[in-house]
Every structure is written in C-alpha cells, then in structure tokens.
Amino acid sequence: SAARPTRRVWCLDACRSTAVMLLAGPWAGRATAQASLEGRRFDTQAGLVGKPAHVPSDILSFADGLFHSSDCDQYEYGRGKYTSSVEADGSIRFEAETVSPTYGRNTWKGRVVGRSIEGEFVFHRKPTWWRPNPEPLPHWFKGPEIDKTGKPVG
C-alpha cells in the first residue's frame, strides 16, 4: 500500500496550491479573455439608446491588444487598448476607450456571447466655447462575428 502523506507535506502542498491560485488567478483569467478576443471581428449596427440603428455597419475588431471601430475612422478615432474578462457563463466582457482629437472620446463596454457581440458606448463630446459641458450620448451596438472576408462565422 502507498504511504500516506504526512500532515506537514499535505499542509505544504495545500499552501503552494493556494499561493499559485492567488497569484496567478486574476491574471490568468485576463490572459484567457484577451486571447479569446484577439483577431476577432464583428459586423455591428449601432444607434442612440432607445432609438433604432443609425449606423448600419460598423466593424468592431480586436487585434494586438487594441480595439477598433471602422465607422469611427471618419471621425479620426484611433484604436484603443481594451481589457476583458471571462464570466462564469463563458461570455467575455470587455471595456475600451477610443479618442478623436477633433470630436472627443468614446467609452465602450460590451459582451461577447458565442459568435455575437452587444453592448453600449458613450460618446463624450469634446467641450467647446458654445458647449462647455456637453451631455454624454449613450449608444447601443450589436452584431454577429465575421471572418476576414466579411462573412458570418459559424
């Protein structure tokens, strides 16, 4: 019969396992979420919250740790870093911010479930002398995942 581990060995193993989970846990989940979004693209529609879509097609993409909205190119918005996390149900939540030197900034919060994306972004207009404290404009977005040729995935 195999020898039973001593109480000391069992305690050391338990402490080691706990330390690994505590130290690696938060970063391991983020790395997995980041990796699961990398290279993915979604063809979304968007509109003001409570209104129908006024943007018929906006390609949202995740590449090299950066988030990009194709529709926002015309307004000089660049790519922005994104953060993500995997939820208990397997969905991926993400947040990003993109900035335009002319128009202001967009803050994005969304969720990827399977092969689709949905969420909200808020357009924070750049203050001007005639509008020193502009109201933020919340928008919704949603759409399916697409491949590099623009065809739906799955």
Side-chain angles (χ1 to χ4, degrees), residues 37-127:
L37 284 178
E38 274 298 301
R40 295 178 75 179
R41 299 163 28 107
F42 300 85
D43 186 4
T44 64
Q45 294 184 331
L48 288 164
V49 170
K51 306 254 179 167
H54 67 267
V55 176
S57 182
D58 181 12
I59 307 302
L60 302 182
S61 59
F62 300 86
D64 301 321
L66 300 173
F67 170 84
H68 178 246
S69 160
S70 66
D71 187 65
C72 292
D73 287 343
Q74 64 186 317
Y75 304 108
E76 304 171 12
Y77 283 87
R79 289 165 168 74
K81 289 184 181 180
Y82 70 91
T83 59
S84 58
S85 61
V86 177
E87 300 295 306
D89 64 1
S91 64
I92 303 167
R93 293 209 179 269
F94 71 91
E95 293 186 20
E97 180 175 278
T98 55
V99 178
S100 164
T102 306
Y103 295 94
R105 65 189 175 91
N106 288 331
T107 53
W108 300 79
K109 290 184 180 185
R111 185 172 166 216
V112 175
V113 179
R115 299 285 188 195
S116 62
I117 193 170
E118 63 180 26
E120 289 189 3
F121 72 90
V122 179
F123 172 31
H124 301 273
R125 294 178 287 181
K126 194 171 186 176

